Amino acid sequence: MSNYVGIDLGTTNCAVSKLDETGRPIIVHNPDGSNITPSVISFSSARKYDVGEVARKSLGEPNTFGRFKRDMGSDSEFEAFGIKHTPESLSALLLKKLKEDTENTIGNIEEAVVTIPANFANEAREATLSAASKAGLNVKNIINEPTAAALYYAFHSGRELDGTYAVYDLGGGTFDVSIISVHGKDVEVLATEGVSKLGGDDFDRALQKIVSQKYKKETGSDLDLEDYNLIDAEDDKKSLSRREVIKVGLRSTGGRASFEVSQKDFEEAISSFVAQTEMLCETAIDDANLVPSDISEVFLVGGSSRIPCIQKSVERIFKRPPVSFANPDEVVALGAALYAAYKSDGKFLNSIQKQSVEKISVAEITSKFFGTISVGMSARDELARGNSIIIEKGEKIPCIKEESFFTLADGQTAVNCVVTESNTNETDPKFVKIIWEGDLELPANRPANQEIIVRFSYDQNQVMKCSFIDVETNKKTEVDLSMSKGKENADVDIDKFMVE
Ligand code: AMP
C-alpha cells in the first residue's frame, strides 16, 4: 500500500501525518511512539547520525545540531567530524530519517507535502524542496504552515466554517500570523506577516537570563550557563505554562530547588517579543483591510501558543479568546496530509478518503515583494539605480506579472538582469535582497530605448521563474529559481550517511 503524507518540518519538532481509512488525518507515530520528533541531529561519527529525542538530549554538545531551519537557504556551516553541513543538508538527513521511520510503520510514501513558514524567503523554499528531494522524497507540492493549519481547523471543526479567521503560529523559532478566509474547505489567505527568528528559543534564553540574574543577586557571582542550560530552561518554561510559580534547580546542586520564578517574571522578560508579535498581528489585520471584530475566530498553532501570557496577548489583539481544540503541535502536519491527498492523483485513496478531500481548495498569496533593479532619471535629473516592484506582496498566486523597461544608451550591448526580494515596497536597492543576477546580451548598433520586458511568474509552491526579454529579437535570459539544486556541498552526499 502506498501513502500520501504531510510532513511538518518544524524548527524544533517535526510531525508526519496521513489519512486513515475513514478519510481523517492522523499522526504517524515515530519509533519512540511519540507524535513529534525533535528536529535535532547528532553525529556519532562522520557518516553516522541519530535524530529526534536521543539527539535532543545531546544538544549543546559538539556534533549535535538543532534549530538549523532558522538558517535555511543560507551558507551557515555546521561541522561534524570534519564534514561541513548546511541547514539544507541537515534537513535532508532529518527528512531521510523521517521517511525511513514512516515507511517502516505505514509502507511506501508515494508522495509527500512538506510545510514551510509563510514568510520563508525564496531561497529557503528552494532549499527545503531540494532537501526533500535529496532525502528521496517525492515532493511536488509544499504548503504554507498557516494554510495547512487553517485547512485542518476547517476540516476538524465539524461545522462549515464561513468567514474570516486568523491563524496565530508561534513555534520554537518562527512566528507567523495569517488572516484567512474560509468557506467550508475553501481556504484563501488574505494577508500574512511574520518573522523567521522569534519563538520559544528566545523564551528559553529569557528564562535562562532570569535565573542568571537571580543567581547573581543571591551569590554575587556569575552563573555558569552549563549549570542551567537551555534544555533545563525549556523544560522549566513548559512547567511555567501550567503553574503561576515554579521552583528552579541548578545541575550543580543536583536539581535541588534554588530559585522561584513566577509567570509574572517570565512575562516581563519576554514582553518585547510579545510586543513584536502584537505589532505583526495588527499589520496583518490592516493588510487584509479588516478590523479585529471582522475576525470570527483565532486558531492557535505551535508549542509556544500554550504560554498563558501569549494567549492573553492574542485575546487582547483580536478581542476574543483564541480557539485551540486541536493539539497545536500537530495541526500543521494534519492539514498537510489533507493537502497531500487533495493534490495527489488519488490512485491510492479509497472512496471515503477521496470524498473527504474533494471539496478542498486553497488560494495562497505572496509573502514578499519581488522586483528588479533598473537605472532611470532621478528627481534631480541624474541617472540613479532604483528597485521596481514586479510582484507585490499579497498578490494571489499563481500569478504572472510583467513590466517594460528601455535601454539607456545607443549601441548598448547588454543589460544587467537582477531579481530582488524585500519585505516592504522598497525603491532603494540598498534595502533589498538580490536573489539572482545575470546578463542579457543585446545586438550591437541599435539606438537607445529598446524595450526589455521583465516577466516574473510565481507558482503554487511559491517559487519563481523570471524572464528578461529583448522585444525586437525575442532573445531571453531566463532563470528558474526553483531549479537551482540548492547549495552544493561536496562533502554531503546524503546517501552515504547512515542512521544509527
Ligand atoms: P513547535 O515549533 O511548534 O514544535 O514549537 C516548539 C516550541 O514550543 C518550543 O520552543 C517548545 O519549548 C515550546 N513549547 C511546547 N510546549 C510548551 C508549553 N507547554 N509551554 C511553553 N512552550 C512550549
Side-chain angles (χ1 to χ4, degrees), residues 8 10-14 36 67 169-174 199-201 203-204 234-235 237-242 266 301-308 328-329:
D8 173 7
T11 311
T12 323
N13 296 301
C14 296
I36 53 173
R67 275 72 166 158
D169 181 353
L170 188 56
T174 50
D201 296 350
F203 307 158
D204 300 342
E234 184 180 7
D235 290 344
K237 174 189 72 177
K238 290 182 187 169
S239 309
L240 207 44
S241 291
R242 291 189 303 272
F266 183 59
V301 184
S304 300
S305 69
R306 293 196 179 95
I307 298 172
D329 297 320

